[in-house]
Amino acid sequence: MRKNILLSLVFVLLAQWAAAQTPKWAEKARKAVFSVITYDQEDKILRTGNGFFVSESGTGLSDYTLFKDAYRAVVIDADGRQLPVEAILGANSIYDVVKFRVAPAKKIAALTVATSAPAAAAPVYLLPYSTQKNGSVTAGQVKEVTTIGGSHHYYTLSLPLKEKMVSCPVMNADGQVIGLAQKSSGQDTVSISYAVGAGFALAQNVGPLSLNDLALTSIHIRKALPEVEDQALVYLFMASSVLPQSEYESLLNEFVARYPSNADGYLRRAGYYAAQGAENPAQFDKATADMEQALRVSNKKDDVHYNIARLIYSYQLSKPKETYRDWTYDRALKEITAAQAIDSLPVYIQLEGDILFAAQQYAAASQAYLRVTRTALASPASFYSAAKAKELAGADIKEVVALMDSCVNRCVKPFTAETAPYLLERARVYMDAEMYRPALTDYDTYYETLAGSVNDVFYYYREQAAFKGKQFQRALNDIAKAIELNPKEVSYYAEQTVINLRVARFEDAIKSADAALAIDPKYGEGYRLKGICQLQLKQDKEACANFAKAKELGDTAVDALIEKHCK
């Protein structure tokens, strides 16, 4: 025990002696060391600490703990100047490091990161933050070097560390920074300290998936874009639906500034501006300027025309109260035509069909969709779109049926919840074509695909197919199920009345009509149907009274019955 105390005293004395032997590079290097103040959501001081610059453009390193939960941070350099932290460049909570950027008005003093680790027993120096020229330097030695992060280092040092020295730079004899000082742990806190490699801290970056990085999301200061262009684009795409608008706009501006020849940046920013246009019409002018710039800088102008067409198409789909300039479906068509003149890609043809469909030019839309079905982009959706456009254009129902058959045949078997709606749509088309049995088959397949998880409306539609297909018991079963699921829907009781009439169950039919009238005493069709049932039971007087009530309630379909049976 006494021996350990003596060793600790020796280390302290050695450190004090070394502090007096300040290296020549120290005075210049200390200008790169700074103090940091972080603030919480209410702009109250959260924590204070240290760090240092590693680039003249303002890249700094510090400890992650200092920045966790912070909404704002300020760096105070060796000259006492305050520099707001502009963006977080990377972080690692396990090794407690953060990399960030400030925006200095001019070049600032920065430390050079060592490219290799010092050997055991090599001298090291801790450089504290100080606004005084005579800021002391604490000397020590490397005790142990371990590898982290593949090729980076973590150091155990024979060097005393005070709490206010955390995240100050640890330097080698050549005046290069090797690490960030970290809090001591264990029993010997007097002479032993630790440092995480500066190279490791510098290697921390924002990547395309960093929006889900807990270390970064715990810091509420804006994150910078990834340093690789393609990754930055992916990050922008993901950030558009996650980040607050102001922060996303800053990222867009940063991307455009960093990559002024990349058309995607202008197009994405144009989309952002257009989305703001409803509340601030001046944003449309900015969007237009970005679209024009995208065309100027792009080497693939068909893609830019396509994206402009898609933006204007989406804008029109939002049904603006007043259209901005020429942002019409016609302009969108002009842009997508320009894209196809350069390269007639299937996705361009698909968008042409969508624009024509939205503009209610259904015949032309169907032709565009049919062209898509003859490309590699052919899918159940493209055949469905062609069928729908054909139907709305007034084409022969047989053409619509053929396209819906192609749509369903393209679906992977067995059907899934995603493809099952195509069965419903084909069943509807079959019904219009009076193909009731095939419609019933589609309804049954839909039911099986969803394992019976259907609502009352489904049972009503399937009942219609069964009834018109002359499967009356199935029709009765389905309408009974629809009533069970929605007992307040009067039209279901009316349908039940009609089926019972068809199979000559007249008293059951009257009960169904009475059930409808109990829900809605002003339901004219209910009185008419009840009267028809009573005619079948030779209750002519009662029937005519119900016909009169139906007429009184505005049911014009009853006039012929009154003319025939009640004169």
Side-chain angles (χ1 to χ4, degrees):
M1 181 70 177
R2 184 177 180 183
K3 183 178 179 181
N4 288 338
I5 294 173
L6 287 173
L7 283 173
S8 296
L9 288 173
V10 168
F11 279 123
V12 171
L13 290 172
L14 283 171
Q16 291 174 346
W17 174 83
Q21 308 301 312
T22 304
K24 293 179 180 180
W25 45 257
E27 184 175 345
K28 180 180 178 181
R30 72 172 187 80
K31 287 187 173 294
V33 186
F34 52 70
S35 175
V36 183
I37 304 173
T38 58
Y39 297 84
D40 63 15
Q41 191 172 12
E42 298 178 354
D43 213 33
K44 296 179 180 178
I45 292 178
L46 186 64
R47 301 178 191 92
T48 60
N50 305 297
F52 52 90
F53 290 116
V54 289
S55 81
E56 294 179 337
S57 60
T59 301
L61 304 178
S62 187
D63 56 298
Y64 165 78
T65 302
L66 181 60
F67 280 76
K68 186 179 180 183
D69 302 321
Y71 283 78
R72 183 170 74 89
V74 174
V75 163
I76 303 173
D77 68 12
D79 295 326
R81 294 176 301 181
Q82 291 194 12
L83 300 171
V85 172
E86 182 184 64
I88 302 299
L89 306 180
N92 186 295
S93 58
I94 297 174
Y95 287 99
D96 199 26
V97 292
V98 66
K99 183 172 73 169
F100 57 88
R101 181 179 68 221
V102 299
K106 58 182 181 179
K107 288 184 179 181
I108 55 178
L111 300 179
T112 300
V113 177
T115 57
S116 60
V124 290
Y125 305 87
L126 189 141
L127 198 62
Y129 168 74
S130 176
T131 58
Q132 305 298 318
K133 288 186 177 181
N134 61 350
S136 62
V137 174
T138 303
Q141 289 184 334
V142 175
K143 184 177 178 65
E144 184 181 358
V145 181
T146 55
T147 301
I148 61 171
S151 59
H152 301 292
H153 303 94
Y154 193 86
Y155 303 95
T156 302
L157 308 172
S158 297
L159 187 151
L161 182 74
K162 296 179 181 179
E163 186 176 350
K164 292 186 178 180
M165 294 178 177
V166 171
S167 287
C168 285
V170 177
M171 316 288 289
N172 62 19
D174 295 325
Q176 299 171 330
V177 60
I178 65 165
L180 292 82
Q182 296 195 312
K183 289 182 180 180
S184 298
S185 61
Q187 295 182 351
D188 186 0
T189 60
V190 177
S191 59
I192 301 297
S193 59
Y194 303 89
V196 61
F200 176 79
L202 191 59
Q204 302 308 306
N205 288 304
V206 174
L209 304 179
S210 291
L211 287 163
N212 298 317
D213 186 320
L214 184 59
L216 286 170
T217 56
S218 296
I219 302 173
H220 304 289
I221 300 168
R222 183 175 74 85
K223 315 308 178 295
L225 283 172
E227 295 177 1
V228 179
E229 187 170 351
D230 289 346
Q231 292 184 5
L233 271 176
V234 176
Y235 188 83
L236 274 180
F237 172 75
M238 298 185 69
S240 62
S241 59
V242 176
L243 296 181
Q245 289 184 356
S246 58
E247 190 170 342
Y248 178 58
E249 184 176 3
S250 295
L251 283 177
L252 288 168
N253 292 336
E254 181 180 345
F255 185 90
V256 169
R258 191 187 298 178
Y259 307 111
S261 297
N262 190 314
D264 286 332
Y266 298 104
L267 290 171
R268 288 181 185 277
R269 193 168 65 177
Y272 170 80
Y273 286 145
Q276 314 303 313
E279 297 180 2
N280 181 6
Q283 297 292 78
F284 286 125
D285 293 334
K286 294 182 179 179
T288 298
D290 272 350
M291 291 190 299
E292 292 172 352
Q293 184 63 13
L295 271 173
R296 280 192 288 269
V297 303
S298 177
N299 293 323
K300 190 169 173 51
K301 300 199 184 298
D302 56 307
D303 181 68
V304 177
H305 284 297
Y306 163 74
N307 278 284
I308 292 174
R310 189 173 61 171
L311 192 156
I312 295 174
Y313 162 68
S314 298
Y315 163 76
Q316 275 297 326
L317 283 182
S318 70
K319 300 186 182 303
K321 293 180 180 179
E322 183 177 344
T323 296
Y324 169 75
R325 292 188 182 178
D326 64 343
W327 283 30
T328 62
Y329 286 129
D330 285 343
R331 167 71 187 282
L333 282 170
K334 179 181 176 181
E335 294 292 342
I336 201 61
T337 300
Q340 291 184 65
I342 300 170
D343 191 355
S344 189
L345 295 177
V347 68
Y348 298 170
I349 305 170
Q350 175 72 39
L351 182 57
E352 179 189 1
D354 293 341
I355 296 168
L356 288 165
F357 190 95
Q360 299 182 15
Q361 298 181 39
Y362 299 120
S366 69
Q367 293 305 308
Y369 290 138
L370 285 172
R371 286 165 59 202
V372 175
T373 65
R374 295 190 287 270
T375 72
L377 200 61
S379 67
S382 58
F383 279 100
Y384 168 73
S385 296
K388 195 68 179 177
K390 278 273 188 184
E391 182 181 16
L392 291 171
D396 189 317
I397 191 64
K398 293 179 181 178
E399 294 182 50
V400 181
V401 168
L403 286 169
M404 283 308 304
D405 284 343
S406 295
C407 166
V408 173
N409 291 338
R410 280 239 168 204
C411 294
V412 176
K413 310 302 186 297
F415 292 98
T416 65
E418 287 72 32
T419 56
Y422 292 127
L423 289 166
L424 278 184
E425 186 63 13
R426 187 172 69 170
R428 182 191 64 79
V429 172
Y430 279 160
M431 291 290 289
D432 290 344
E434 300 181 357
M435 299 169 66
Y436 305 124
R437 292 297 177 95
L440 190 57
T441 299
D442 274 356
Y443 282 126
D444 287 344
T445 306
Y446 178 86
Y447 181 89
E448 293 166 5
T449 300
L450 270 63
S453 181
V454 295
N455 59 16
D456 57 296
V457 177
F458 169 82
Y459 284 109
Y460 173 73
Y461 284 147
R462 191 169 70 170
E463 172 271 322
Q464 293 277 294
F467 179 72
K468 293 179 179 179
K470 303 186 184 305
Q471 295 192 22
F472 301 120
Q473 188 57 53
R474 285 201 64 183
L476 282 170
N477 292 343
D478 275 349
I479 201 64
K481 188 64 178 179
I483 290 171
E484 177 187 329
L485 294 173
N486 188 0
K488 297 297 183 181
E489 179 54 59
V490 294
S491 64
Y492 293 167
Y493 294 99
E495 192 68 23
Q496 190 177 51
T497 302
V498 171
I499 303 169
N500 279 317
L501 269 170
R502 182 66 177 78
V503 296
R505 297 178 181 177
F506 303 124
E507 296 199 3
D508 286 341
I510 289 176
K511 289 179 182 178
S512 297
D514 284 340
L517 293 171
I519 296 170
D520 184 4
K522 296 183 178 181
Y523 183 49
E525 184 180 350
Y527 290 103
R528 172 166 50 84
L529 290 173
K530 183 176 180 180
I532 293 172
C533 297
Q534 290 167 330
L535 284 178
Q536 300 302 317
L537 295 171
K538 309 300 181 182
Q539 300 172 4
D540 293 1
K541 182 178 179 180
E542 291 85 348
C544 287
N546 279 313
F547 291 156
K549 185 66 175 177
K551 184 175 179 62
E552 177 188 331
L553 293 171
D555 182 14
T556 58
V558 79
D559 291 343
L561 291 168
I562 293 174
E563 179 69 24
K564 182 176 181 179
H565 299 287
C566 302
K567 293 294 184 181

